[in-house]
Amino acid sequence: MTNYRSALVIAALIGGTACADDKIPPATQPAAAKPGAAAPATPSPAKPATAGPAAGALAHYAQAAGSHLGFSFEQAGAQGNGTFKKFDTTFDYDPNNLAASRLQVKVQIASLDTQDKDRDTTLASADLFDAQKYPVATYSAGSLAKGANGVEAVGKLTIRNVTKDLRVPLTIKPAGAGLELSGTVTIKRLDYGVGQGEWQATDSVGDPVKLTYKVVLNKAAG
């Protein structure tokens, strides 16, 4: 009898333990990552912006005394020479930023001088430069560029209200507190209408005209 009761007590204890185990909640498992989900990327540090040309890097220059603008041509098989005594040049220049550099030239046509008054009068007449109707010739370059033989101004020449593209070679060197521009370039006078009527013929006066320049520039306020 005693053994029977003991067996009942043991059975009850075992059953109670089983029930207690059923009431214990299962251990919480970490949530599984969703398939294909990537870990948040660490942002890369921003690359510093490349600095452009410093503001105000262009230096401004204005024409000074001692500047020369000459021209030469062929007349009756001989070379004729002349100068323009009145012209004005401004130059905005940064050797490290040629694309932003600028050159402006204005020439007073009536100031031409070939050391021959009759020839000067003929050159200024309506059939050639027509200085009365077109008193100013201009060259305007909005940039400089590397050329085959150095730096060139990239611009437009206007004579007698005719405008043509023209690259002008420039030798640029220090001169005192400023700069000196020099060089030569050849144009064709008939491209600009300098030669009307009988002056269109090139047997007496040649078509090519060589321009020679040496311009002294002082640094000026921008």
Side-chain angles (χ1 to χ4, degrees):
M1 190 71 164
T2 302
N3 291 337
Y4 177 73
R5 289 177 179 175
S6 298
L8 289 175
V9 171
I10 292 170
L13 287 173
I14 293 172
T17 302
C19 291
D21 289 342
D22 289 343
K23 293 177 182 179
I24 297 174
T28 303
Q29 298 295 326
K34 293 182 180 180
T42 303
S44 301
K47 294 182 180 179
T50 303
L58 289 174
H60 182 68
Y61 298 87
Q63 185 176 313
S67 298
H68 171 82
L69 175 59
F71 59 94
S72 59
F73 55 95
E74 184 179 297
Q75 181 181 17
Q79 179 174 294
N81 298 295
T83 61
F84 290 101
K85 291 187 172 182
K86 294 182 181 179
F87 66 101
D88 181 68
T89 306
T90 58
F91 190 42
D92 296 297
Y93 179 58
D94 179 357
N96 298 314
N97 192 357
L98 296 180
S101 300
R102 300 181 294 273
L103 175 64
Q104 304 286 330
V105 183
K106 293 182 179 180
V107 182
Q108 301 296 324
I109 296 298
S111 72
L112 65 87
D113 182 6
T114 66
Q115 302 297 308
D116 183 321
K117 289 185 177 181
D118 289 339
R119 182 165 58 188
D120 293 348
T121 300
T122 300
L123 286 171
S125 69
D127 282 344
L128 289 164
F129 278 109
D130 199 353
Q132 185 172 355
K133 187 175 182 179
Y134 307 107
V136 178
T138 62
Y139 180 71
S140 178
S143 66
L144 305 184
K146 292 288 187 180
N149 298 308
V151 175
E152 295 179 343
V154 183
K156 296 179 182 294
L157 175 64
T158 301
I159 303 174
R160 285 185 59 113
N161 207 34
V162 177
T163 301
K164 300 284 184 181
D165 292 332
L166 182 66
R167 292 176 75 104
V168 173
L170 298 174
T171 297
I172 306 171
K173 63 181 183 181
L179 297 174
E180 179 186 282
L181 305 182
S182 61
T184 61
V185 66
T186 298
I187 64 173
K188 293 183 177 182
R189 64 180 180 88
L190 294 178
D191 285 349
Y192 298 89
V194 182
Q196 303 292 311
E198 64 178 342
W199 293 105
Q200 292 185 43
T202 57
D203 52 351
S204 177
V205 178
D207 192 13
V209 177
K210 183 178 181 180
L211 302 175
T212 304
Y213 36 91
K214 185 178 77 171
V215 184
V216 180
L217 299 162
N218 287 338
K219 197 168 185 180

